Amino acid sequence: QAVTAALDRLTRGCTTLLITLDLYLAMMADRVIVIEAGVVRESGTPAALLEAGGRFAQLLALESGRGRPEGREEVANAAG
């Protein structure tokens, strides 16, 4: 939570490119671009991507279902 608050403060009013495997952090973005194997698979707002039910939604569901640190490794493995 402290990291999220600090990022919010530092990036307010700026264009920021954030590369993350933390999908909850990606939910704060204005726009998300999902890249797999060097190819853009989908892009849009987090809400639109969740509604579309594509890869972003699948990975977020996978991370949500785990609720444990090893869940993040699973997301990283599924993404790569």
Side-chain angles (χ1 to χ4, degrees):
Q1 214 171 23
V3 171
T4 303
L7 275 173
D8 186 45
R9 256 190 337 274
L10 290 170
T11 61
R12 192 169 293 136
C14 299
T15 299
T16 306
L17 174 64
L18 175 67
I19 300 171
T20 184
L21 290 175
D22 186 332
L23 300 178
Y24 290 103
L25 193 56
M27 290 294 294
M28 293 175 38
D30 294 327
R31 183 174 176 170
V32 173
I33 301 171
V34 178
I35 301 172
E36 285 186 310
V39 177
V40 174
R41 298 294 180 190
E42 56 189 9
S43 69
T45 65
L49 293 179
L50 287 175
E51 187 175 317
R55 191 65 173 140
F56 181 76
Q58 292 168 352
L59 291 171
L60 188 62
L62 179 63
E63 187 172 276
S64 297
R66 293 291 179 166
R68 299 186 308 260
E70 57 266 32
R72 294 188 188 279
E73 291 174 20
E74 179 95 16
V75 170
N77 292 336

